[in-house]
Amino acid sequence: MHTTHELSLRTYGPSHGSHAHDHFQVLIGLDGVLDIEVEGRGAGIGAGEAQVVAPGDRHDFEARGEGSVCLVLDTTHAPWARCAERAPADAPQLHALARYLVQCMKQPQHAALALQHGPALLLEAWGPVPSPLPDTRRRRGIDWPSLAAWARARWHEPLTVSDLAEVACLSPSQFAQRCREEQGVSAMQWLRGLRLSHARELRMDGMGVAETARRTGYRSPSALTAALRRRGV
């Protein structure tokens, strides 16, 4: 999958309702405080603080007081999955870099370079990913296309992470970790995305909503329609 990045400066105010993305969203606070709720977990992003929202996670924003200003990176780069589960290792350095990038973005002669190199610099500034203990065993490869085909043939079943792990010959925890590392999302987010992609394909081929919902395991046509609408389809 081709990696895409978009770097922007955003001002937040009242909530516009919960939503989800197909990409990572990195928020670095510059001014004010932004209240954020991700999958039911609340937090605040003040100046010098940062958070990563993973693909598929439903979230909502609301700024306190006079609003909040954040540097926002929308990216499909898979390594951000590891950052979504931990705070920045060096928040002052990350904050200083964010302010520097904002200044560059405001100058026409430097804006292109900031947009080109900013995403990689932000990932590096987040801090090194803790190295796991050495593992001398050869890791079992996951045939993702075959696993996807297996799941597509079983949308009528309530598939779980354990089901996917069993087919991949891994423990549920191992499979969940590998999915984060190799696909950039959680196992259930990968499964939901796969189901929705299949439904989108059937709809584009002209299949009716009701039959598409039945074939892809959605509980009702309205549930499928809502899922497609959330993803902007």
Side-chain angles (χ1 to χ4, degrees), residues 106-210:
K106 294 178 179 179
Q107 302 175 38
Q109 67 271 34
H110 299 309
L113 285 175
L115 297 175
Q116 179 181 356
H117 299 292
L121 292 173
L122 289 171
L123 182 60
E124 181 179 353
W126 198 276
V129 177
S131 300
L133 293 174
D135 188 353
T136 57
R137 297 170 299 177
R138 185 175 181 180
R139 300 220 311 179
R140 182 187 299 275
I142 298 177
D143 186 342
W144 292 103
S146 295
L147 185 60
W150 178 88
R152 285 167 68 111
R154 292 166 176 79
W155 291 140
H156 58 285
E157 302 175 13
L159 298 179
T160 65
V161 175
S162 295
D163 295 326
L164 297 172
E166 184 177 357
V167 175
C169 298
L170 294 169
S171 70
S173 61
Q174 288 175 324
F175 180 81
Q177 180 180 350
R178 293 283 296 279
C179 193
R180 278 283 190 189
E181 292 175 354
E182 298 178 21
Q183 298 298 317
V185 293
S186 72
M188 291 311 295
Q189 288 167 351
W190 178 77
L191 193 62
R192 287 196 298 267
L194 194 67
R195 185 192 301 270
L196 189 61
S197 293
H198 190 193
R200 185 185 296 118
E201 291 171 11
L202 294 178
R203 289 289 292 135
M204 291 180 66
D205 288 340
M207 183 176 290
V209 176

Side-chain angles (χ1 to χ4, degrees), residues 6 8 10 12 19-28 34 36 38 45 50-57 59-61 70-77 80-81 83-84 126:
E6 180 180 343
S8 59
R10 300 184 193 176
Y12 292 92
H19 57 285
H21 304 296
D22 290 330
H23 54 264
F24 295 97
Q25 189 165 75
V26 185
L27 298 108
I28 304 169
L34 180 64
I36 178 172
V38 182
I45 303 176
Q51 184 164 340
V52 179
V53 180
D57 282 357
H59 55 284
D60 191 7
F61 299 118
C70 295
L71 179 66
V72 180
L73 171 65
D74 292 311
T75 177
T76 59
H77 196 36
W80 280 104
C83 301
W126 198 276

